[in-house]
Amino acid sequence: MRVLLVEDDALLGAGLERGLEALGMNVAWAREAASAFRLLQSEPFDAVVLDLGLPQEDGMHALRRWRAEGLVLPVLILTARDALSERIAGLDEGADDYVVKPAPLEEIAARLRALVRRGEGRARSFIDLGRLRLDTAGHAVWFDGAPVELSAMEYRLLERLARNPGRVFTKIQLEQALYEAEEAPDSNVLQVLIHHLRRKIDPAIIDTIRGLGYRLGPAAQGAAP
């Protein structure tokens, strides 16, 4: 399990990193919200452990912003703030669990495993972004409530982007997602698939980020008209 730890306290962060890794987790440690968000955009994670008392940007504000940006990963708040109002606010802002420090490492790890199991269950059913909806079990797609017929490779590309809204993928990363290990990617197929998705769904369904790659576009999110 790949976990992003967001904790500004050096001593506590180092202890959590070592402890969770000793329990079999792969941990990346960020000390403030901005660097954490950069990691979320560039690397795959299964869950986030988030402190609230962060420098520059409070963890609660960061969580609200990340959810607005489309972050769907499970987030466990780990904080010294133990007031009932804080716990309610954290869950209402999008946290999947709220744990008050100090807490046993074994309990934190168990809660993370439970969150990831629940997240995997959701991922196997539907990805609902507002205007765009995917049934990942049946490989079906709807846009503004209307079904969209896609080829297998068109669907595979769209699902990869929809599972990580806001993340920019390079051309190589998307080609690796489209082909099996033994297959050689066609140099032109990615551009053709993107063209097809824009034509079948919406011209703004995929953004081209010049010099970087591609990400799910703004047409996917928001309320259907």
Side-chain angles (χ1 to χ4, degrees), residues 60 63-64 67 71-77 88-97:
M60 196 80 77
L63 176 59
R64 184 186 311 121
R67 290 304 192 205
L71 179 73
V72 295
L73 289 178
V75 175
L76 182 149
I77 288 177
I88 292 172
L91 295 169
D92 283 345
E93 290 294 350
D96 298 275
D97 201 352

Side-chain angles (χ1 to χ4, degrees), residues 18-85:
R18 287 195 305 269
L20 291 174
E21 289 190 340
L23 293 171
M25 298 185 179
N26 185 335
V27 180
W29 177 17
R31 290 160 176 79
E32 41 85 24
S35 58
F37 190 59
R38 286 194 294 271
L39 285 171
L40 287 169
Q41 290 182 303
S42 61
E43 299 182 25
F45 290 96
D46 297 300
V48 179
V49 176
L50 176 65
D51 181 33
L52 294 183
L54 299 174
Q56 301 176 30
E57 183 180 16
D58 182 78
M60 196 80 77
H61 183 273
L63 176 59
R64 184 186 311 121
R65 181 170 59 84
W66 295 349
R67 290 304 192 205
E69 292 278 351
L71 179 73
V72 295
L73 289 178
V75 175
L76 182 149
I77 288 177
L78 181 63
T79 180
R81 301 179 189 176
D82 60 355
L84 176 60
S85 60

Side-chain angles (χ1 to χ4, degrees), residues 74-120:
V75 175
L76 182 149
I77 288 177
L78 181 63
T79 180
R81 301 179 189 176
D82 60 355
L84 176 60
S85 60
E86 293 278 3
R87 297 199 297 271
I88 292 172
L91 295 169
D92 283 345
E93 290 294 350
D96 298 275
D97 201 352
Y98 193 109
V99 178
V100 176
K101 301 173 183 174
L105 279 167
E106 293 81 3
E107 179 185 353
I108 296 170
R111 287 177 179 270
L112 286 170
R113 289 192 295 269
L115 291 178
V116 170
R117 284 196 302 271
R118 291 204 296 268
E120 288 173 346

Side-chain angles (χ1 to χ4, degrees), residues 142-156:
W142 297 264
F143 186 72
D144 287 344
V148 181
E149 294 293 330
L150 299 180
S151 70
M153 291 192 75
E154 289 165 356
Y155 175 84
R156 197 181 306 171

